[in-house]
PDB file of all heavy atoms in Angstrom:
ATOM      1  N   VAL P   1     160.840  87.205 104.882  1.00 98.00           N
ATOM      2  CA  VAL P   1     160.332  85.969 105.498  1.00 98.00           C
ATOM      3  C   VAL P   1     161.364  84.852 105.350  1.00 98.00           C
ATOM      4  O   VAL P   1     161.694  84.154 106.326  1.00 98.00           O
ATOM      5  CB  VAL P   1     159.005  85.543 104.839  1.00 98.00           C
ATOM      6  CG1 VAL P   1     158.571  84.165 105.349  1.00 98.00           C
ATOM      7  CG2 VAL P   1     157.915  86.556 105.125  1.00 98.00           C
ATOM      8  N   MET P   2     161.889  84.676 104.141  1.00 98.00           N
ATOM      9  CA  MET P   2     162.837  83.586 103.890  1.00 98.00           C
ATOM     10  C   MET P   2     164.126  83.776 104.696  1.00 98.00           C
ATOM     11  O   MET P   2     164.640  82.824 105.301  1.00 98.00           O
ATOM     12  CB  MET P   2     163.127  83.502 102.401  1.00 98.00           C
ATOM     13  CG  MET P   2     161.911  83.091 101.569  1.00 98.00           C
ATOM     14  SD  MET P   2     162.264  82.883  99.800  1.00 98.00           S
ATOM     15  CE  MET P   2     162.190  84.593  99.236  1.00 98.00           C
ATOM     16  N   ALA P   3     164.638  85.003 104.717  1.00 98.00           N
ATOM     17  CA  ALA P   3     165.874  85.263 105.459  1.00 98.00           C
ATOM     18  C   ALA P   3     165.661  85.086 106.954  1.00 98.00           C
ATOM     19  O   ALA P   3     166.500  84.485 107.652  1.00 98.00           O
ATOM     20  CB  ALA P   3     166.370  86.677 105.156  1.00 98.00           C
ATOM     21  N   ALA P   4     164.553  85.610 107.471  1.00 98.00           N
ATOM     22  CA  ALA P   4     164.270  85.490 108.906  1.00 98.00           C
ATOM     23  C   ALA P   4     164.130  84.040 109.321  1.00 98.00           C
ATOM     24  O   ALA P   4     164.608  83.628 110.392  1.00 98.00           O
ATOM     25  CB  ALA P   4     162.999  86.270 109.249  1.00 98.00           C
ATOM     26  N   LEU P   5     163.483  83.237 108.486  1.00 98.00           N
ATOM     27  CA  LEU P   5     163.317  81.821 108.819  1.00 98.00           C
ATOM     28  C   LEU P   5     164.666  81.132 108.974  1.00 98.00           C
ATOM     29  O   LEU P   5     164.907  80.421 109.955  1.00 98.00           O
ATOM     30  CB  LEU P   5     162.494  81.128 107.733  1.00 98.00           C
ATOM     31  CG  LEU P   5     162.345  79.617 107.907  1.00 98.00           C
ATOM     32  CD1 LEU P   5     161.487  79.306 109.116  1.00 98.00           C
ATOM     33  CD2 LEU P   5     161.769  78.980 106.656  1.00 98.00           C
ATOM     34  N   VAL P   6     165.562  81.346 108.025  1.00 97.00           N
ATOM     35  CA  VAL P   6     166.872  80.682 108.083  1.00 97.00           C
ATOM     36  C   VAL P   6     167.646  81.130 109.327  1.00 97.00           C
ATOM     37  O   VAL P   6     168.239  80.313 110.041  1.00 97.00           O
ATOM     38  CB  VAL P   6     167.674  80.979 106.804  1.00 97.00           C
ATOM     39  CG1 VAL P   6     169.099  80.448 106.920  1.00 97.00           C
ATOM     40  CG2 VAL P   6     166.976  80.367 105.588  1.00 97.00           C
ATOM     41  N   VAL P   7     167.626  82.420 109.615  1.00 96.00           N
ATOM     42  CA  VAL P   7     168.367  82.945 110.768  1.00 96.00           C
ATOM     43  C   VAL P   7     167.791  82.407 112.075  1.00 96.00           C
ATOM     44  O   VAL P   7     168.532  81.956 112.967  1.00 96.00           O
ATOM     45  CB  VAL P   7     168.353  84.486 110.765  1.00 96.00           C
ATOM     46  CG1 VAL P   7     168.932  85.031 112.067  1.00 96.00           C
ATOM     47  CG2 VAL P   7     169.146  85.023 109.577  1.00 96.00           C
ATOM     48  N   VAL P   8     166.477  82.424 112.212  1.00 97.00           N
ATOM     49  CA  VAL P   8     165.855  81.964 113.460  1.00 97.00           C
ATOM     50  C   VAL P   8     166.085  80.477 113.666  1.00 97.00           C
ATOM     51  O   VAL P   8     166.378  80.026 114.781  1.00 97.00           O
ATOM     52  CB  VAL P   8     164.351  82.298 113.462  1.00 97.00           C
ATOM     53  CG1 VAL P   8     163.660  81.654 114.669  1.00 97.00           C
ATOM     54  CG2 VAL P   8     164.138  83.807 113.509  1.00 97.00           C
ATOM     55  N   VAL P   9     165.956  79.690 112.607  1.00 97.00           N
ATOM     56  CA  VAL P   9     166.156  78.247 112.739  1.00 97.00           C
ATOM     57  C   VAL P   9     167.604  77.939 113.118  1.00 97.00           C
ATOM     58  O   VAL P   9     167.866  77.075 113.971  1.00 97.00           O
ATOM     59  CB  VAL P   9     165.757  77.528 111.438  1.00 97.00           C
ATOM     60  CG1 VAL P   9     166.150  76.054 111.493  1.00 97.00           C
ATOM     61  CG2 VAL P   9     164.251  77.643 111.214  1.00 97.00           C
ATOM     62  N   ALA P  10     168.551  78.638 112.507  1.00 94.00           N
ATOM     63  CA  ALA P  10     169.959  78.422 112.865  1.00 94.00           C
ATOM     64  C   ALA P  10     170.210  78.791 114.323  1.00 94.00           C
ATOM     65  O   ALA P  10     170.901  78.064 115.053  1.00 94.00           O
ATOM     66  CB  ALA P  10     170.862  79.240 111.941  1.00 94.00           C
ATOM     67  N   ALA P  11     169.655  79.919 114.770  1.00 94.00           N
ATOM     68  CA  ALA P  11     169.811  80.317 116.169  1.00 94.00           C
ATOM     69  C   ALA P  11     169.180  79.286 117.099  1.00 94.00           C
ATOM     70  O   ALA P  11     169.741  78.953 118.152  1.00 94.00           O
ATOM     71  CB  ALA P  11     169.179  81.692 116.385  1.00 94.00           C
ATOM     72  N   ALA P  12     168.031  78.755 116.714  1.00 94.00           N
ATOM     73  CA  ALA P  12     167.357  77.756 117.544  1.00 94.00           C
ATOM     74  C   ALA P  12     168.192  76.487 117.671  1.00 94.00           C
ATOM     75  O   ALA P  12     168.290  75.887 118.743  1.00 94.00           O
ATOM     76  CB  ALA P  12     165.986  77.433 116.958  1.00 94.00           C
ATOM     77  N   ALA P  13     168.818  76.067 116.567  1.00 93.00           N
ATOM     78  CA  ALA P  13     169.630  74.850 116.593  1.00 93.00           C
ATOM     79  C   ALA P  13     170.852  75.005 117.482  1.00 93.00           C
ATOM     80  O   ALA P  13     171.352  74.027 118.053  1.00 93.00           O
ATOM     81  CB  ALA P  13     170.047  74.472 115.174  1.00 93.00           C
ATOM     82  N   LEU P  14     171.364  76.235 117.612  1.00 89.00           N
ATOM     83  CA  LEU P  14     172.556  76.488 118.422  1.00 89.00           C
ATOM     84  C   LEU P  14     172.222  76.833 119.868  1.00 89.00           C
ATOM     85  O   LEU P  14     173.119  76.936 120.702  1.00 89.00           O
ATOM     86  CB  LEU P  14     173.367  77.638 117.812  1.00 89.00           C
ATOM     87  CG  LEU P  14     174.005  77.358 116.442  1.00 89.00           C
ATOM     88  CD1 LEU P  14     174.600  78.631 115.875  1.00 89.00           C
ATOM     89  CD2 LEU P  14     175.067  76.281 116.561  1.00 89.00           C
ATOM     90  N   TRP P  15     170.952  77.038 120.159  1.00 88.00           N
ATOM     91  CA  TRP P  15     170.566  77.545 121.473  1.00 88.00           C
ATOM     92  C   TRP P  15     170.820  76.495 122.544  1.00 88.00           C
ATOM     93  O   TRP P  15     170.638  75.311 122.333  1.00 88.00           O
ATOM     94  CB  TRP P  15     169.087  77.916 121.473  1.00 88.00           C
ATOM     95  CG  TRP P  15     168.732  78.935 122.522  1.00 88.00           C
ATOM     96  CD1 TRP P  15     168.487  78.706 123.837  1.00 88.00           C
ATOM     97  CD2 TRP P  15     168.596  80.338 122.326  1.00 88.00           C
ATOM     98  NE1 TRP P  15     168.203  79.876 124.483  1.00 88.00           N
ATOM     99  CE2 TRP P  15     168.267  80.898 123.573  1.00 88.00           C
ATOM    100  CE3 TRP P  15     168.724  81.174 121.216  1.00 88.00           C
ATOM    101  CZ2 TRP P  15     168.057  82.265 123.735  1.00 88.00           C
ATOM    102  CZ3 TRP P  15     168.511  82.516 121.373  1.00 88.00           C
ATOM    103  CH2 TRP P  15     168.182  83.052 122.632  1.00 88.00           C
ATOM    104  N   ARG P  16     171.215  76.952 123.702  1.00 77.00           N
ATOM    105  CA  ARG P  16     171.364  76.090 124.868  1.00 77.00           C
ATOM    106  C   ARG P  16     170.666  76.724 126.054  1.00 77.00           C
ATOM    107  O   ARG P  16     170.815  77.917 126.254  1.00 77.00           O
ATOM    108  CB  ARG P  16     172.856  75.840 125.194  1.00 77.00           C
ATOM    109  CG  ARG P  16     173.574  75.046 124.108  1.00 77.00           C
ATOM    110  CD  ARG P  16     172.965  73.656 123.950  1.00 77.00           C
ATOM    111  NE  ARG P  16     173.604  72.908 122.881  1.00 77.00           N
ATOM    112  CZ  ARG P  16     173.211  72.912 121.616  1.00 77.00           C
ATOM    113  NH1 ARG P  16     172.183  73.664 121.243  1.00 77.00           N
ATOM    114  NH2 ARG P  16     173.833  72.192 120.720  1.00 77.00           N
ATOM    115  N   PRO P  17     169.850  76.020 126.811  1.00 80.00           N
ATOM    116  CA  PRO P  17     169.534  74.599 126.669  1.00 80.00           C
ATOM    117  C   PRO P  17     168.763  74.304 125.386  1.00 80.00           C
ATOM    118  O   PRO P  17     168.008  75.144 124.897  1.00 80.00           O
ATOM    119  CB  PRO P  17     168.683  74.273 127.896  1.00 80.00           C
ATOM    120  CG  PRO P  17     168.936  75.391 128.868  1.00 80.00           C
ATOM    121  CD  PRO P  17     169.241  76.599 128.028  1.00 80.00           C
ATOM    122  N   THR P  18     168.943  73.101 124.851  1.00 86.00           N
ATOM    123  CA  THR P  18     168.371  72.741 123.566  1.00 86.00           C
ATOM    124  C   THR P  18     166.854  72.829 123.576  1.00 86.00           C
ATOM    125  O   THR P  18     166.241  73.194 122.573  1.00 86.00           O
ATOM    126  CB  THR P  18     168.817  71.315 123.184  1.00 86.00           C
ATOM    127  OG1 THR P  18     170.237  71.250 123.236  1.00 86.00           O
ATOM    128  CG2 THR P  18     168.343  70.951 121.798  1.00 86.00           C
ATOM    129  N   ARG P  19     166.235  72.485 124.711  1.00 87.00           N
ATOM    130  CA  ARG P  19     164.761  72.506 124.759  1.00 87.00           C
ATOM    131  C   ARG P  19     164.223  73.919 124.549  1.00 87.00           C
ATOM    132  O   ARG P  19     163.136  74.100 124.004  1.00 87.00           O
ATOM    133  CB  ARG P  19     164.263  71.944 126.086  1.00 87.00           C
ATOM    134  CG  ARG P  19     164.758  72.689 127.304  1.00 87.00           C
ATOM    135  CD  ARG P  19     164.307  72.002 128.578  1.00 87.00           C
ATOM    136  NE  ARG P  19     164.895  72.643 129.748  1.00 87.00           N
ATOM    137  CZ  ARG P  19     166.085  72.361 130.235  1.00 87.00           C
ATOM    138  NH1 ARG P  19     166.826  71.439 129.634  1.00 87.00           N
ATOM    139  NH2 ARG P  19     166.549  72.970 131.304  1.00 87.00           N
ATOM    140  N   LEU P  20     164.974  74.944 124.959  1.00 89.00           N
ATOM    141  CA  LEU P  20     164.546  76.317 124.697  1.00 89.00           C
ATOM    142  C   LEU P  20     164.754  76.684 123.228  1.00 89.00           C
ATOM    143  O   LEU P  20     163.979  77.450 122.657  1.00 89.00           O
ATOM    144  CB  LEU P  20     165.300  77.281 125.605  1.00 89.00           C
ATOM    145  CG  LEU P  20     164.956  77.185 127.099  1.00 89.00           C
ATOM    146  CD1 LEU P  20     165.748  78.213 127.893  1.00 89.00           C
ATOM    147  CD2 LEU P  20     163.468  77.381 127.316  1.00 89.00           C
ATOM    148  N   GLY P  21     165.795  76.141 122.624  1.00 92.00           N
ATOM    149  CA  GLY P  21     165.960  76.328 121.189  1.00 92.00           C
ATOM    150  C   GLY P  21     164.799  75.726 120.415  1.00 92.00           C
ATOM    151  O   GLY P  21     164.356  76.275 119.403  1.00 92.00           O
ATOM    152  N   ALA P  22     164.288  74.592 120.917  1.00 94.00           N
ATOM    153  CA  ALA P  22     163.129  73.969 120.273  1.00 94.00           C
ATOM    154  C   ALA P  22     161.911  74.885 120.334  1.00 94.00           C
ATOM    155  O   ALA P  22     161.119  74.942 119.389  1.00 94.00           O
ATOM    156  CB  ALA P  22     162.817  72.631 120.952  1.00 94.00           C
ATOM    157  N   VAL P  23     161.771  75.632 121.425  1.00 95.00           N
ATOM    158  CA  VAL P  23     160.642  76.561 121.545  1.00 95.00           C
ATOM    159  C   VAL P  23     160.777  77.689 120.529  1.00 95.00           C
ATOM    160  O   VAL P  23     159.803  78.087 119.875  1.00 95.00           O
ATOM    161  CB  VAL P  23     160.552  77.119 122.970  1.00 95.00           C
ATOM    162  CG1 VAL P  23     159.441  78.164 123.069  1.00 95.00           C
ATOM    163  CG2 VAL P  23     160.309  76.001 123.974  1.00 95.00           C
ATOM    164  N   LEU P  24     161.982  78.236 120.389  1.00 96.00           N
ATOM    165  CA  LEU P  24     162.223  79.276 119.382  1.00 96.00           C
ATOM    166  C   LEU P  24     161.912  78.747 117.988  1.00 96.00           C
ATOM    167  O   LEU P  24     161.304  79.434 117.159  1.00 96.00           O
ATOM    168  CB  LEU P  24     163.671  79.751 119.472  1.00 96.00           C
ATOM    169  CG  LEU P  24     164.097  80.846 118.486  1.00 96.00           C
ATOM    170  CD1 LEU P  24     163.303  82.129 118.721  1.00 96.00           C
ATOM    171  CD2 LEU P  24     165.594  81.120 118.600  1.00 96.00           C
ATOM    172  N   LEU P  25     162.322  77.504 117.718  1.00 97.00           N
ATOM    173  CA  LEU P  25     162.039  76.882 116.431  1.00 97.00           C
ATOM    174  C   LEU P  25     160.535  76.737 116.223  1.00 97.00           C
ATOM    175  O   LEU P  25     160.021  76.972 115.115  1.00 97.00           O
ATOM    176  CB  LEU P  25     162.726  75.522 116.353  1.00 97.00           C
ATOM    177  CG  LEU P  25     162.468  74.680 115.097  1.00 97.00           C
ATOM    178  CD1 LEU P  25     162.879  75.441 113.846  1.00 97.00           C
ATOM    179  CD2 LEU P  25     163.212  73.358 115.176  1.00 97.00           C
ATOM    180  N   ALA P  26     159.807  76.359 117.280  1.00 98.00           N
ATOM    181  CA  ALA P  26     158.352  76.223 117.169  1.00 98.00           C
ATOM    182  C   ALA P  26     157.715  77.551 116.778  1.00 98.00           C
ATOM    183  O   ALA P  26     156.781  77.592 115.967  1.00 98.00           O
ATOM    184  CB  ALA P  26     157.769  75.725 118.488  1.00 98.00           C
ATOM    185  N   GLY P  27     158.219  78.648 117.346  1.00 98.00           N
ATOM    186  CA  GLY P  27     157.693  79.952 116.987  1.00 98.00           C
ATOM    187  C   GLY P  27     157.884  80.268 115.521  1.00 98.00           C
ATOM    188  O   GLY P  27     157.028  80.898 114.886  1.00 98.00           O
ATOM    189  N   ALA P  28     159.015  79.827 114.939  1.00 98.00           N
ATOM    190  CA  ALA P  28     159.260  80.059 113.514  1.00 98.00           C
ATOM    191  C   ALA P  28     158.418  79.140 112.641  1.00 98.00           C
ATOM    192  O   ALA P  28     158.029  79.505 111.523  1.00 98.00           O
ATOM    193  CB  ALA P  28     160.741  79.856 113.203  1.00 98.00           C
ATOM    194  N   ILE P  29     158.139  77.938 113.133  1.00 98.00           N
ATOM    195  CA  ILE P  29     157.359  76.980 112.355  1.00 98.00           C
ATOM    196  C   ILE P  29     155.910  77.434 112.234  1.00 98.00           C
ATOM    197  O   ILE P  29     155.261  77.221 111.195  1.00 98.00           O
ATOM    198  CB  ILE P  29     157.433  75.578 113.001  1.00 98.00           C
ATOM    199  CG1 ILE P  29     158.846  74.998 112.852  1.00 98.00           C
ATOM    200  CG2 ILE P  29     156.417  74.629 112.376  1.00 98.00           C
ATOM    201  CD1 ILE P  29     159.054  73.699 113.611  1.00 98.00           C
ATOM    202  N   ILE P  30     155.365  78.069 113.275  1.00 98.00           N
ATOM    203  CA  ILE P  30     153.938  78.432 113.300  1.00 98.00           C
ATOM    204  C   ILE P  30     153.515  79.203 112.046  1.00 98.00           C
ATOM    205  O   ILE P  30     152.576  78.794 111.354  1.00 98.00           O
ATOM    206  CB  ILE P  30     153.614  79.214 114.583  1.00 98.00           C
ATOM    207  CG1 ILE P  30     153.583  78.261 115.782  1.00 98.00           C
ATOM    208  CG2 ILE P  30     152.281  79.954 114.464  1.00 98.00           C
ATOM    209  CD1 ILE P  30     153.437  78.961 117.122  1.00 98.00           C
TER     210      ILE P  30
END
């Protein structure tokens, strides 16, 4: 869980377009 969270959040921050990265981040936050 801890490793997946860090990896997903980092990928979300780098994602372009940024608004889609925000969606990926939302999925990890849930």
Side-chain angles (χ1 to χ4, degrees):
V1 173
M2 294 184 278
L5 175 68
V6 173
V7 171
V8 172
V9 172
L14 293 172
W15 204 278
R16 294 298 178 270
T18 306
R19 59 184 174 275
L20 292 181
V23 176
L24 180 63
L25 176 58
I29 291 173
I30 286 173

